[in-house]
Amino acid sequence: MVFTVTLNPAIDKTVVIPGFQPGKVNRIQSLRADAGGKGINVSKCLKQLSVESVAAGIFAGSAGDTLLAMLDEMGISTLSVSVAGQSRTNTKIIDPEQKLNTDINEPGPQVPAQSLTLLRDEIGRRITPGDAVVLSGSLPAGAPDTLYRDWIACFRDLGAKVFLDADGAALVQGVRASPWLVKPNDAELSRLVGRNLETREDLRKAGEALLKTGIREIVISLGGEGALFLSEEAKFQAKALKVPVQSTVGAGDSMVAAMVCGYVNQLPRENVIRLAVAMGAASCMCDGSQAPDGALVHRLAEQVEIAPL
């Protein structure tokens, strides 16, 4: 089984406002609402790839109830712990005229330590050796920076492969527990190592240094420049596909979903890389944070160009 963990989920409200002007009256051209948060995005993408998952998370108030109802409607199983307050509603303003995206993110509820422990233990009780756990996204208010590090160690000891997609202190601490896979983008990797990684060679060397700490795979997403896929066995670079971009929200999450799909189905490495790049591209073609159509992803995967490093 695959477990995705979203400790600070959100209703993602995406509005399109051509010619958006701060400080002015703006009129919305279109609006959509999606269940969001990085782990939830991974579960949505896995569903499109015919991989079942359990979306575990902390949910609060009526917004949390709405999120759970959205996931149920999509046929995604959930494991929820309720807390006081309200889950976030994040607003993403897309301006197609200026080609600008503006994110307005709420902080989310304060989460007691006992609620986090309860969720960890509930996931742990369901894990069997060989399962995959995806830890991704921001930590909720009240959570220690070491939370992902501690959970990685816990789930790994239970026999799970842990995939980590985080930033800042949560990433710094998380990599110390040597998860199975880490997926930073170039900016996140620069922050992790404490210096600006300006070239692809700089990024590759930083990724290879992480492999020496016990991490099995590093995926470094480079936006429109493609991605680097590093492991001790092989290292590849992949070109990005040129597609019409509607929204970049969730593109990195879709790549994580593809890597999990490859692990679950034991796909050849080059096939997994093509699938990951195609998932990222197809995600960018979607409005809001909806998951891309699986059939489109497989068609795009045939066009992905990769080369060994």
Side-chain angles (χ1 to χ4, degrees):
M1 178 54 70
V2 178
F3 298 87
T4 67
V5 179
T6 311
L7 299 178
N8 204 9
I11 298 171
D12 283 341
K13 186 179 292 186
T14 304
V15 298
V16 177
I17 304 178
F20 173 67
Q21 298 181 66
K24 304 282 187 177
V25 174
N26 293 273
R27 301 194 181 279
I28 295 173
Q29 183 181 82
S30 63
L31 179 151
R32 65 171 291 121
D34 299 287
K38 292 178 72 63
I40 287 174
N41 290 340
V42 172
S43 277
K44 292 188 298 186
C45 291
L46 286 171
K47 189 73 175 179
Q48 293 298 317
L49 295 173
S50 301
V51 175
E52 294 301 317
S53 68
V54 175
I58 303 290
F59 298 86
S62 58
D65 293 340
T66 298
L67 281 164
L68 290 168
M70 287 176 166
L71 291 166
D72 182 66
E73 187 174 349
M74 288 184 280
I76 295 173
S77 300
T78 57
L79 175 56
S80 64
V81 169
S82 298
V83 298
Q86 287 289 340
S87 292
R88 301 182 296 166
T89 297
N90 292 340
T91 303
K92 305 183 185 296
I93 303 170
I94 297 176
D95 181 350
E97 291 183 358
Q98 303 179 73
K99 301 188 185 307
L100 293 174
N101 290 359
T102 302
D103 290 359
I104 302 173
N105 292 346
E106 297 180 5
Q110 186 90 11
V111 179
Q114 59 266 32
S115 297
L116 293 167
T117 300
L118 175 61
L119 181 63
R120 183 201 63 195
D121 292 348
E122 288 295 327
I123 297 169
R125 273 192 279 272
R126 290 163 171 78
I127 285 176
T128 58
D131 285 349
V133 179
V134 179
L135 301 177
S136 57
S138 61
L139 298 176
D145 293 340
T146 56
L147 185 141
Y148 282 156
R149 184 194 70 190
D150 298 339
W151 285 30
I152 290 166
C154 173
F155 298 146
R156 187 186 60 235
D157 289 347
L158 293 170
K161 302 295 188 293
V162 184
F163 295 65
L164 176 64
D165 184 10
D167 192 10
L171 177 59
V172 170
Q173 292 292 329
V175 298
R176 294 178 180 175
S178 299
W180 180 265
L181 178 145
V182 178
K183 193 218 72 63
N185 60 31
D186 49 356
E188 290 165 346
L189 186 56
S190 292
R191 286 191 286 271
L192 174 63
V193 302
R195 66 182 187 277
N196 189 26
L197 303 172
E198 296 183 349
T199 68
R200 189 164 295 199
E201 181 66 11
D202 291 338
L203 292 164
R204 181 184 67 80
K205 288 181 178 179
E208 289 176 342
L210 283 177
L211 291 175
K212 291 180 170 58
T213 68
I215 298 169
R216 294 292 298 272
E217 295 193 44
I218 311 288
V219 179
I220 307 170
S221 53
L222 308 174
E225 298 300 316
L228 304 180
F229 296 82
L230 311 176
S231 71
E232 290 293 350
E233 293 75 24
K235 300 170 180 63
F236 290 90
Q237 59 183 347
K239 291 183 178 180
L241 293 172
K242 296 189 182 303
V243 297
V245 176
Q246 295 293 325
S247 171
T248 58
V249 176
D253 306 326
S254 67
M255 294 183 73
V256 173
M259 300 304 293
V260 173
C261 176
Y263 165 72
V264 169
N265 292 308
Q266 298 183 325
L267 300 177
R269 183 165 177 77
E270 294 186 22
N271 291 10
V272 179
I273 292 171
R274 290 188 174 91
L275 186 66
V277 174
M279 279 293 293
S283 177
C284 291
M285 298 169 67
C286 298
D287 291 330
S289 60
Q290 62 183 305
D293 176 70
L296 170 63
V297 172
H298 288 294
R299 288 197 301 272
L300 289 174
E302 297 175 359
Q303 305 173 28
V304 176
E305 297 179 23
I306 66 174
L309 286 170

